[in-house]
Each structure stands twice: as C-alpha cells, then as structure tokens.
Amino acid sequence: MNNRIEGIEYLRAIMSIFVVVWHMGGGGQSLIFSEDKYLEHVFTVSDFINFHLLLMAVPTFIFVSIFLYTSKPVSSTTFKKQFIRIFILLTFWPTALIIYNGGYQGLLAILPNSTVGFIYTTLRAGNTIYYFFTSLIICLFISYPFIRLKIHIQIWVFSCSVILLIFLPEFTKLTGFYSLSAYWNPLNFVPISFAAVLVSQNKNHILENKKIALCISIVLCIFLSIFEWKYSVGKVFFPGQGYAIPAYTRASLLFSVFAIFILILNQKIKANGIIKYMAKYSLALYCLHPFLMSQIMGFTAILVQNKIVALYMSILLTIAFSYFMAMLLNKYYLREKVMM
C-alpha cells in the first residue's frame, strides 16, 4: 500500500498547485468569461486548461479524502475524529481570512439576517474559498451510511447521483436559480464521495480490471465533456463565478478524477523528496495562498511591465512564500491540525 500512497502524494502535490494557478488566473480566459460575448465562444486551449485540468483539484481532494477515510475501518469514533478535524479547518481559516481582509467589521458584515442567509453563508464558508471544508463535511456525513449499503444498492445510488449531476445545469437554466449549479453547492461532490467509497471498497477488483475501468472512464469523460459544452452553457451561471459554464456541476470531472486516480495507484510510482514535501504542505498551500496572492500580484506588477511574465512570476512567488510560511507557522505558531 505504501507505493500507492506515494501515488496519492503526487496527486496532492499537483492539485494543490492547480488551485493556486486557477485562483490567480493562470489558465487564461476565453469568451466563456464574457457575459456579453459568451454566445460567440469557441472551445480553446485555455478552456481545456481551466475547466478540465485546473478545476479537477477540488473534486480530486474530495475523492482522496473520502477514499483514505473509508479505506480504513470506519466507526463512530473515527467519524467523530474526522469531523472534528475538518470542523476546526472550517472555523479557523475562513475566520482568519475575513479578519485579515476586513478586520472584525468583516465578520459583522457576513452575519446572516435570515435562515436562508445562514445556510448560504455556511455553505460558502463566509463567502471564502474555504467552502471546500463545508462540502467535505457534508460528503463525510453522506459517506458514513453509504459504506454500509450492499454493493448493488451503492451502485444504484451512485448512478442516480451522477444522473442528477448531469441534468442539474439544465434545471438551473429552467428555474433561473443559479445556486443549484454554484461552485460551492455540495451536490457537486456527492457523486465524487460515492465513487471514492466504491473504489476504496473494491480497489483490488478495479485494479485487476484497470485497463477496462480506465477506458470506460476516459470515454465517459470525453462524451460528457462534449455534452456539457453543448448543453450546460448559459447566462444563469455568471452570478457568483463569472463564467458561463458551471465549475463543478459537471459529471465529466468525476470520470476524469476516477481515471487519474486509477493511474496513480500504480505500484511502480514512488514519490521523491520534493513531491513528498509538496504533498505534506498541500493543505497549507491551499489555506495560505489567499492571504498572499493579491499583495504579491501588486508587487510584481510594479517590478515587471510584461503582464504575462508578472502573472506567472506572481504564481511562483505565491507558491514559494506559502510553503515557507507553512513551515514557519507549523513550527512556531499553529498546531498541526490547521496546517497539514
């Protein structure tokens, strides 16, 4: 199992970098980001990088988290321990970022004044990028009973969740209720969680039929990607995200994550020191980069006149400083529970 875990370390290391690149706009922008011209959009290389590579990061982290959790014996004790672990992350990092950006007045500004407002604020982790932790807690809750179901019922439930995910963008367009397909909606990650449980419980059988599983997942990913770019584009998706296609309400991401995960379970994969370091601080990179990226981008824009060079220099500096801060904070200030 050690070699397979090393494969997962590669995945964590790479996907944490993808998160930073996405948040800093390193994938470029096509007309899909223009509310006035998105109807003229033609699929570009930047679309592939943004929506089929960089946006794999969050679904992959959900998949890996649930896979590792359910790969070991699950009990009420382990469930409680995992829940507390994620809850600490959910309360600490949004609070820290909100205070960092707006002081205590920022905390007062996000206080909800209704039940619906409370739900929205909670799901969005106080309107921060840490909605991931809210979704992960929900995925943890739904995975707990799912583990105990018989395999044929699990497959049926998983299939229904995938079908719902496929048609959810259409429901969003029909109702005009953009939250149904918002990037922070936990429904996006329910099929990912079910898939992770199925893989963890049947990994030996899947690895024995790796080529077949890989081919099926790739074919489904391509087919669903074509379907999504044809039918899941609309103006209703712009609020809250700024582009005309849902970020995560796309089943193609599920099967691309599944395909990548099968590949990294290769027993021959061994992580070197650099990858192990990056994997160790992958969570820290995710949590720390929002504190740094705006200031670093402003600083490099003054020093470097070329916008493209300044952008990618900013990305590299943000990653480097995040790793550096992670080491310092983990050693001298923050407990391990909020860093790794």
Side-chain angles (χ1 to χ4, degrees):
M1 188 65 182
N2 288 335
N3 288 336
R4 295 176 185 176
I5 292 294
E6 290 188 35
I8 292 175
E9 287 181 338
Y10 269 94
L11 207 53
R12 282 173 163 170
I14 294 169
M15 292 302 163
S16 61
I17 298 295
F18 280 7
V19 170
V20 180
V21 176
W22 166 258
H23 284 152
M24 297 184 71
Q29 291 191 357
S30 66
L31 290 179
I32 202 70
F33 288 83
S34 172
E35 194 167 356
D36 297 325
K37 298 183 179 180
Y38 78 93
L39 291 174
E40 303 171 23
H41 171 263
V42 177
F43 189 78
T44 64
V45 173
S46 70
D47 292 322
F48 176 76
I49 293 172
N50 280 320
F51 296 99
H52 296 279
L53 288 181
L54 301 183
L55 283 181
M56 281 180 61
V58 170
T60 298
F61 282 131
I62 295 280
F63 190 102
V64 169
S65 297
I66 300 299
F67 173 84
L68 293 176
Y69 168 67
T70 56
S71 292
K72 301 174 182 178
V74 176
S75 64
S76 58
T77 302
T78 59
F79 175 85
K80 181 180 178 181
K81 183 179 179 180
Q82 188 74 355
F83 170 79
I84 292 173
R85 160 78 170 134
I86 302 170
F87 186 76
I88 290 172
L89 294 168
L90 175 59
T91 52
F92 178 83
W93 287 109
T95 303
L97 184 61
I98 291 168
I99 292 175
Y100 177 79
N101 287 328
Y104 289 100
Q105 292 299 321
L107 288 176
L108 295 175
I110 67 165
L111 288 177
N113 53 16
S114 66
T115 302
V116 174
F118 174 78
I119 294 172
Y120 269 58
T121 301
T122 302
L123 291 178
R124 299 179 66 182
N127 303 327
T128 69
I129 72 160
Y130 305 116
Y131 67 90
F132 167 77
F133 298 126
T134 306
S135 294
L136 186 54
I137 285 179
I138 293 172
C139 289
L140 183 69
F141 270 95
I142 65 171
S143 297
Y144 188 69
F146 185 78
I147 296 168
R148 290 161 174 76
L149 299 176
K150 294 181 178 179
I151 181 66
H152 66 278
I153 299 178
Q154 286 180 330
I155 293 174
W156 184 82
V157 173
F158 167 69
S159 300
C160 289
S161 69
V162 173
I163 292 170
L164 175 62
L165 188 65
I166 292 172
F167 291 102
L168 202 53
E170 187 61 31
F171 297 151
T172 305
K173 289 195 287 186
L174 288 173
T175 62
F177 188 45
Y178 84 92
S179 297
L180 288 175
S181 296
Y183 66 90
W184 43 263
N185 190 335
L187 288 175
N188 297 326
F189 310 112
V190 170
I192 291 280
S193 303
F194 292 157
V197 173
L198 286 168
V199 173
S200 70
Q201 293 183 329
N202 303 277
K203 57 181 174 290
N204 291 332
H205 180 70
I206 291 172
L207 290 174
E208 288 171 1
N209 301 276
K210 184 164 80 170
K211 291 183 179 180
I212 296 174
L214 191 59
C215 287
I216 292 173
S217 59
I218 291 173
V219 169
L220 286 173
C221 177
I222 294 172
F223 173 78
L224 288 167
S225 296
I226 295 171
F227 176 86
E228 289 157 2
W229 282 101
K230 185 172 179 62
Y231 296 107
S232 298
V233 174
K235 194 171 185 176
V236 68
F237 304 115
F238 273 98
Q241 63 175 24
Y243 35 91
I245 189 169
Y248 300 120
T249 318
R250 296 184 290 123
S252 62
L253 287 176
L254 163 64
F255 292 101
S256 62
V257 170
F258 182 68
I260 293 295
F261 198 79
I262 292 173
L263 290 174
I264 60 93
L265 287 178
N266 188 334
Q267 295 181 357
K268 296 180 180 179
I269 295 177
K270 293 185 179 181
N272 57 35
I274 295 175
I275 293 298
K276 288 182 178 180
Y277 174 90
M278 293 170 66
K280 178 181 179 181
Y281 290 108
S282 58
L283 176 60
L285 176 58
Y286 172 82
C287 294
L288 287 171
H289 80 273
F291 293 86
L292 300 171
M293 58 184 188
S294 296
Q295 288 78 2
I296 289 177
M297 289 182 77
F299 176 74
T300 53
I302 296 172
L303 295 181
V304 182
Q305 298 301 312
N306 187 295
K307 292 184 179 180
I308 296 177
V309 174
L311 172 62
Y312 290 103
M313 184 180 292
S314 298
I315 291 173
L316 291 174
L317 288 173
T318 299
I319 293 168
F321 275 103
S322 294
Y323 284 146
F324 179 70
M325 284 184 62
M327 290 190 297
L328 291 180
L329 292 173
N330 185 56
K331 186 175 182 180
Y332 296 110
Y333 186 65
L334 295 179
R335 292 172 58 120
E336 198 170 289
K337 286 185 178 180
V338 298
M339 290 298 300
M340 292 183 288

